[in-house]
Amino acid sequence: MCGIAGFVTDRSFDIEHACRHMTDKLVHRGPDDAGNWIDASAGVAIGHRRLAIVDLSPQGHQPMVSVCGRYVIALNGEIYNFEALRARLESAAAASPIPWRGHSDTEVLLEAIRCWGLERTLSEIVGMFAFALWDRHRRTLSLVRDRFGEKPLYYGAIGSSFVFGSELKALRAFPDSRLSVDRAALAQMLQFGYVPAPASIYRDIHKLLPGSILSVEVAGSGRWQSNGPQRYWSIDALELTRRQLECAQLDQAALVERLDALLGDAVREQMVADVPLGAFLSGGVDSSLVVAMMQATSSRQIRTFTIGFSEEGFNEAPYAKEVARHLGTDHTELYVSAKDAAAIITELPHIYDEPFADSSQIPTSLVARMTRSHVTVALSGDGGDELFGGYPRYQTGDMLWRRIERMPAWERRAAARFARSLSPSAWDRVFRVAIPSRWRQKISGHRVHRFAEILDAATFGEMYHRLVSQWHPEAGIVLETTDQAAPHTETDASGRGMSRLAQMRKWDIDQYLPDDILVKVDRAAMSTGLETRSPILDHRVAEFAWALPDNVLIRDGRGKWLLRQVLDKYVPRRLIERPKAGFAMPVARWLRSDLRDWAEHLLDERRLREQGWLAPEPIRSMWRRHLAGTHDFQAHIWNVLMFQAWLEASEAAPRSERST
């Protein structure tokens, strides 16, 4: 786990100094070592910050040059099957032994590329990674990102130069960078709580999509061109018919054994490290299964870490403690208060580097800091919900559409028009007269308008897209923009034979997982120099999960049915079976109390008007109703607050770090 940055330029300045300045901004991702590689004749610079995990010796230094001298690489991430690949490479080169310099996964990756080429190597490796590869013979710079987007990679044009980096702060450090906020990306951030790839919050700067390669051809001194990213892997581009037929031939017991074996192999591979290792444990299905397999593999106690809250209804720490006691792990827990949350909030814009509004970023950042004080690598259960059908909204979405699609189109449009015939506040006045007070929090004008949006959906995919949104584009909250392009993921895949459950999972795997869940964990962990690993996202586990029939994913009203059957082998069901809570925290309550002054400062009407990004009226109206306790607008308000906090931090930064 490290940080990379670099550029191709035809400009005249101190290239090595500029590259070093960019990588210096990533010191938190790689505090152990730094390096730069320069090809002045081509105008190419590649920089690296290292967090040493495997091969702690100087032989793991990067950027690394291949033995043949043709390739130069800077790698962020881990190749988990590097030992098996090394053995294969050595066997193939028995007549002419490979002159290995160390035992790092980076060196194995370089040798594989030399022997097999980039495309075949990508099909052979198992891991999480983002890397830059310079081919000195073909004069081509390739940027590559792992299959699920566990590791970040930004790229784009600043003037005539091509730039790239693990985080935006590295790109802002490029000489004379003048990055401006993209209003369309801002609208999407307010809609989803994050900026969906391939966009970033800045114009002309992009995120490389998961499972993609971007090739940049360099001609002359710093002149470059690219045809854009190409996908080398996608979960729905597999040989699904064959795989589904294979799964259909397995009975329930065989499916459980197959998943147990696949996930067990992934856990064992991801436990390889030359530094202390532990795991996050929430007490839920996914993290409990990962920890159980780790402890079953290890001869020593696994270190586990969890976060808790004093507020009733949000605290899952006792469940995690019970699971830890059953498995025999060395368990540590940290309880978070509103005061703890307030203390870290001012750091969030720097940690996440672009507006990001999943409120569980707060406990994630805090548990990462606690974990880093004990270990350098932590395994997590990320990916289980998306791959194995764990989100309650999957069943809600399916139920809603089954009811909606029975209505004629004209009836749905008429009902939607009626729902919008009154403003949300007018509906609230009606409900105050017609609805008993004990029911009013369950029905509101805002929810009436949300239902109208769902009724208006032309397809199931479009309905799901609206179901997972907060601020909708029609709200006009972002000023001076009509360009609100849809995210890269498809909103409807029914024409490709996908079930409704598969469509929802595909949307989440393509967008929500890499742009929210994995961003949240990566930035929080790397801000403190902690590497995180997700065994459930091993692509062999994922491909097996994707081929499973719906009825072994969701059964008897419970998601992750097959995953639960595997967990039953390790942990008693009574310790796990409870309503899904996720990594929730009491933000709605805190915004009305401990965080109120901070929020009021950022949502000040005069401030909003002077900044000119957001429409004050709908924001202030929603804020007043939230404070009154008649509505819970936590998600909408938190999205706005995270943009405002990021904007304020950007405006306060030195000029070389300014983002707007």
Side-chain angles (χ1 to χ4, degrees):
M1 191 85 69
C2 307
I4 65 175
F7 52 83
V8 179
T9 188
D10 59 359
R11 293 172 53 191
S12 178
F13 53 74
D14 187 334
I15 291 179
E16 185 168 1
H17 174 77
C19 189
R20 188 182 309 114
H21 185 51
M22 292 175 73
T23 54
D24 283 348
K25 301 302 178 184
L26 303 175
V27 65
H28 55 285
R29 297 187 71 92
D32 298 328
D33 190 19
N36 299 289
W37 188 89
I38 309 297
D39 185 339
S41 65
V44 173
I46 300 174
H48 189 266
R49 291 291 321 195
R50 185 185 183 201
L51 176 64
I53 301 295
V54 175
D55 190 352
L56 309 185
S57 75
Q59 300 304 321
H61 176 80
Q62 296 187 51
M64 186 179 290
V65 182
S66 63
V67 173
C68 65
R70 175 175 176 176
Y71 299 103
V72 182
I73 196 170
L75 168 69
N76 168 27
E78 301 289 345
I79 308 302
Y80 300 128
N81 64 333
F82 76 98
E83 291 180 335
L85 293 175
R86 179 169 175 149
R88 287 174 56 191
L89 290 165
E90 288 175 342
S91 177
S96 178
I98 300 169
W100 300 108
R101 292 159 288 181
H103 64 276
S104 72
D105 57 339
T106 306
E107 188 174 6
V108 173
L109 176 60
L110 262 181
E111 182 63 21
I113 292 170
R114 184 189 73 81
C115 293
W116 300 334
L118 179 57
E119 285 74 13
R120 180 186 166 189
T121 297
L122 290 173
S123 70
E124 299 281 355
I125 60 178
V126 179
M128 56 172 184
F129 49 84
F131 63 82
L133 178 75
W134 173 238
D135 184 336
R136 300 171 74 179
H137 291 184
R138 296 179 58 192
R139 297 176 67 87
T140 300
L141 176 69
S142 297
L143 302 183
V144 185
R145 195 174 180 201
D146 65 64
R147 296 171 177 89
F148 287 99
E150 291 185 70
K151 295 293 97 192
L153 192 53
Y154 293 86
Y155 70 93
I158 296 180
S160 61
S161 302
F162 175 85
V163 296
F164 66 89
S166 296
E167 296 183 19
L168 289 172
K169 55 176 65 74
L171 276 61
R172 289 198 300 269
F174 185 75
D176 299 321
S177 64
R178 291 292 184 268
L179 304 178
S180 57
V181 171
D182 184 334
R183 289 181 184 266
L186 171 57
Q188 291 187 10
M189 179 268 161
L190 294 171
Q191 182 176 0
F192 299 109
Y194 52 86
V195 179
S200 83
I201 193 62
Y202 296 125
R203 292 195 194 104
D204 302 321
I205 303 298
H206 312 283
K207 300 182 185 84
L208 185 61
L209 291 176
S212 294
I213 305 172
L214 176 70
S215 296
V216 179
E217 297 178 2
V218 181
S221 180
R223 296 190 305 275
W224 60 274
Q225 64 177 9
S226 174
N227 293 325
Q230 302 295 320
R231 297 296 291 264
Y232 68 85
W233 185 90
S234 176
I235 199 163
D236 64 332
L238 306 170
E239 300 175 54
L240 286 182
T241 302
R242 180 179 62 81
R243 293 178 183 275
Q244 287 169 340
L245 285 173
E246 287 178 355
C247 284
Q249 293 169 4
L250 298 175
D251 60 22
Q252 175 181 317
L255 288 173
V256 171
E257 291 305 314
R258 179 83 172 273
L259 178 56
D260 189 16
L262 285 170
L263 192 51
D265 288 345
V267 168
R268 281 188 289 275
E269 280 188 350
Q270 297 195 23
M271 289 178 67
V272 174
D274 295 333
V275 293
L277 176 142
F280 298 137
L281 178 61
S282 70
V285 173
D286 309 330
S287 65
S288 296
L289 181 53
V290 168
V291 169
M293 289 182 163
M294 292 175 70
Q295 192 60 75
T297 299
S298 177
S299 59
R300 293 185 291 181
Q301 276 187 305
I302 295 295
R303 297 294 307 267
T304 54
F305 306 89
T306 195
I307 209 89
F309 303 99
S310 300
E311 285 83 352
E312 185 179 351
F314 293 89
N315 188 26
E316 292 203 301
Y319 304 116
K321 191 173 184 178
E322 285 297 313
V323 172
R325 182 181 292 117
H326 173 78
L327 295 174
T329 70
D330 181 0
H331 191 60
T332 303
E333 58 185 15
L334 172 70
Y335 273 75
V336 177
S337 66
K339 183 178 179 180
D340 298 319
I344 201 171
I345 278 174
T346 56
E347 299 181 46
L348 294 178
H350 178 75
I351 291 172
Y352 285 91
D353 211 24
E354 72 176 336
F356 181 79
D358 183 332
S359 62
S360 60
Q361 64 199 125
I362 295 174
T364 302
S365 298
L366 291 169
V367 76
R369 291 185 180 187
M370 174 184 67
T371 303
R372 183 62 178 91
S373 66
H374 300 279
V375 301
T376 310
V377 176
L379 273 63
S380 79
D382 290 327
D385 287 308
E386 293 84 359
L387 289 169
F388 290 92
Y391 290 124
R393 64 174 178 260
Y394 291 157
Q395 297 177 68
T396 300
D398 184 66
M399 178 271 294
L400 279 173
W401 188 251
R402 279 190 281 108
R403 294 182 179 180
I404 289 172
E405 70 175 346
R406 288 199 293 262
M407 298 172 62
W410 67 266
E411 188 175 330
R412 287 162 50 192
R413 288 193 297 270
R417 282 196 301 271
F418 174 73
R420 294 194 183 101
S421 64
L422 296 178
S423 67
S425 58
W427 276 116
D428 288 338
R429 289 193 293 271
V430 170
F431 296 145
R432 279 196 293 271
V433 174
I435 303 294
S437 58
R438 65 182 180 276
W439 293 345
R440 282 182 201 150
Q441 277 211 320
K442 295 184 178 180
I443 186 168
S444 67
H446 174 71
R447 290 191 175 186
V448 170
H449 275 234
R450 285 296 300 268
F451 186 62
E453 292 162 357
I454 291 172
L455 280 175
D456 256 355
T459 65
F460 170 75
E462 185 181 348
M463 185 212 72
Y464 184 68
H465 187 272
R466 296 183 180 192
L467 189 65
V468 297
S469 298
Q470 285 94 53
W471 291 99
H472 286 263
E474 305 91 84
I477 187 174
V478 179
L479 301 174
E480 301 176 20
T481 181
T482 56
D483 178 18
Q484 298 183 11
H488 76 276
T489 50
E490 298 178 22
T491 55
D492 183 65
S494 58
R496 293 152 59 200
M498 287 188 185
S499 69
R500 287 194 286 266
L501 176 58
Q503 291 180 61
M504 291 183 282
R505 291 165 62 218
K506 177 68 165 55
W507 196 91
D508 283 342
I509 288 168
D510 281 355
Q511 180 171 310
Y512 180 66
L513 179 65
D515 294 332
D516 185 306
I517 301 299
L518 298 179
V519 166
K520 176 181 64 180
V521 176
D522 174 82
R523 305 305 191 278
M526 292 312 301
S527 71
T528 190
L530 175 72
E531 174 171 298
T532 55
R533 300 176 176 179
S534 305
I536 295 175
L537 291 179
D538 182 299
H539 73 277
R540 297 162 299 187
V541 175
E543 290 171 2
F544 173 77
W546 186 252
L548 292 170
D550 290 356
N551 65 355
V552 299
L553 297 173
I554 298 177
R555 184 178 293 185
D556 301 324
R558 302 300 301 273
K560 294 189 284 198
W561 183 85
L562 187 62
L563 213 55
R564 292 173 190 273
Q565 306 311 301
V566 177
L567 182 59
D568 283 346
K569 300 172 64 174
Y570 299 90
V571 179
R573 188 169 294 190
R574 60 179 174 79
L575 297 182
I576 301 296
E577 293 295 335
R578 62 184 184 277
K580 181 176 177 62
F583 210 7
M585 59 179 296
V587 168
R589 190 179 307 165
W590 290 350
L591 286 173
R592 299 186 183 105
S593 53
D594 299 70
L595 302 181
R596 179 169 178 170
D597 290 343
W598 165 78
E600 192 65 66
H601 165 72
L602 293 173
L603 301 180
D604 178 75
E605 185 170 353
R606 178 180 296 179
R607 169 186 293 271
L608 292 169
R609 291 192 186 282
E610 289 176 352
Q611 290 169 334
W613 294 104
L614 306 177
E617 294 82 3
I619 295 171
R620 293 298 304 180
S621 173
M622 196 169 279
W623 176 232
R624 285 192 296 270
R625 286 182 285 166
H626 183 86
L627 290 178
T630 58
H631 301 77
D632 181 358
F633 290 129
Q634 168 192 320
H636 295 74
I637 293 167
W638 193 254
N639 289 5
V640 174
L641 287 171
M642 285 296 96
F643 171 69
Q644 289 293 100
W646 175 84
L647 189 63
E648 183 173 65
S650 300
E651 292 172 344
R655 184 155 186 85
S656 63
E657 287 292 307
R658 287 183 66 87
S659 56
T660 60

